[in-house]
Amino acid sequence: MSRYCAFADRFEDGRVHLADDEAHHLVRVRRFSEGDLFEATDGKGRRCLCRLQRDGGIWFGKVLEEVESHSESPFPIVLAQALLKSDKFEWVLQKTTELGVTEIAPIITKRTEVKLDPRRAAGKLTRWRRILVEAVKQCGRSRVPLLSEPVQLQEFVEAPRGLPLWALDEEASESLSQLFRQRSRPSGVVALVGPEGGWDPDDRQILSQASAVSVRLGPRILRAETAPVAFLSILQHLYGDLS
């Protein structure tokens, strides 16, 4: 039976402590009453079945049992996504979280049109993390993907991760199917997706110097927000838990 999943502020002494907005949504919006059952996750891998209770004006969950979760993909995928216009980028955050992405790294490329105002960066990250949390609750995951601050492409590829870099590029000579046939199964992948205008020659030089493998998905040019969803779906089908 599917149960509503709340995001836990913390687990402590057999209780699930809920932030005020989470408790308000559970009680006022979802119409849960004292004694009702729900699930809660801390976004770090723990998921519990709880009974809603109230202590004065404070709502909390009494932990009844741990819930074994099989919702996390066994195949780590780091998505390095060029910043897109607000609604498109947020859509990518939501859908790739549903597809099981492990980490999302916003990157700034030569043709990135979005200019992130430093004064608004903290607010953007807070909003983006909230979108990840809501997506995790909706799809039944137990872990919230890591979300890093936006960085330049050069800085991103220079950071060691121990995973191969695969960059989607409509100009690549190698197709994704060829890559699968010619290479052994990786332990995980860093998937790089460019902006609306595609990779600039300077970007391609950076990727080449970082030993990134450029691949194309097919004969059609996909929108920047479509490409990561298609890419992750294929990777999860071949290496992860989409069957």
Side-chain angles (χ1 to χ4, degrees):
M1 175 177 159
S2 178
R3 294 189 180 93
Y4 175 76
C5 182
F7 196 73
D9 190 50
R10 68 186 186 279
F11 288 96
E12 186 177 67
D13 298 328
R15 287 188 176 191
V16 172
H17 295 265
L18 304 170
D20 290 343
D21 58 344
E22 191 71 25
H24 178 273
H25 184 79
L26 188 64
V27 176
R28 301 299 181 188
V29 179
R30 303 287 302 194
R31 301 294 184 184
F32 274 62
S33 302
E34 190 168 5
D36 287 347
L37 300 180
F38 67 100
E39 291 185 4
T41 179
D42 61 359
K44 300 175 183 178
R46 188 177 184 187
R47 195 177 181 97
C48 296
L49 175 63
C50 308
R51 187 180 302 280
L52 184 62
Q53 294 187 345
R54 181 168 57 180
D55 183 2
I58 305 298
W59 291 95
F60 66 93
K62 179 181 179 181
V63 176
L64 301 180
E65 62 182 46
E66 299 281 337
V67 176
E68 187 176 3
S69 175
H70 302 283
S71 58
E72 295 302 315
S73 173
F75 186 71
I77 302 175
V78 178
L79 172 64
Q81 172 67 57
L83 282 172
L84 306 173
K85 294 177 182 178
S86 182
D87 57 337
K88 294 180 179 180
F89 190 75
E90 292 177 0
W91 189 86
V92 169
L93 293 176
Q94 181 187 70
K95 300 310 174 187
T96 56
T97 297
E98 292 175 20
L99 287 168
V101 71
T102 308
E103 178 181 348
I104 301 174
I107 56 174
I108 302 168
T109 69
K110 191 79 170 182
R111 294 177 179 169
T112 297
E113 297 180 357
V114 176
K115 307 300 181 185
L116 194 61
D117 186 342
R119 295 172 299 177
R120 300 175 56 194
K124 281 286 188 182
L125 284 169
T126 298
R127 176 174 172 79
W128 292 344
R129 290 193 176 99
R130 187 162 60 245
I131 290 171
L132 299 184
V133 168
E134 290 302 319
V136 162
K137 289 163 56 179
Q138 182 276 323
C139 71
R141 289 185 62 175
S142 57
R143 291 186 181 275
V144 177
L146 297 176
L147 177 67
S148 56
E149 295 185 4
V151 296
Q152 296 288 333
L153 175 63
Q154 181 76 61
E155 181 180 348
F156 176 81
V157 299
E158 288 176 349
R161 286 179 174 79
L163 297 175
L165 306 178
W166 291 1
L168 288 187
D169 190 345
E170 68 275 8
E171 296 185 11
S173 58
E174 188 174 23
S175 70
L176 195 54
S177 59
Q178 289 174 324
L179 181 66
F180 291 148
R181 290 196 299 268
Q182 295 170 4
R183 297 173 183 265
S184 58
R185 175 192 174 97
S187 59
V189 164
V190 176
L192 295 109
V193 182
E196 284 94 336
W199 301 111
D200 182 87
D202 289 348
D203 297 328
R204 291 190 174 96
Q205 182 67 21
I206 291 171
L207 293 171
S208 176
Q209 291 175 347
S211 300
V213 177
S214 294
V215 294
R216 65 180 190 277
L217 282 182
R220 291 171 295 282
I221 297 176
L222 303 180
R223 289 182 177 272
E225 69 271 25
T226 307
V229 173
F231 197 14
L232 263 67
S233 297
I234 296 169
L235 290 172
Q236 292 287 30
H237 174 65
L238 290 171
Y239 300 137
D241 55 3
L242 289 184
S243 57

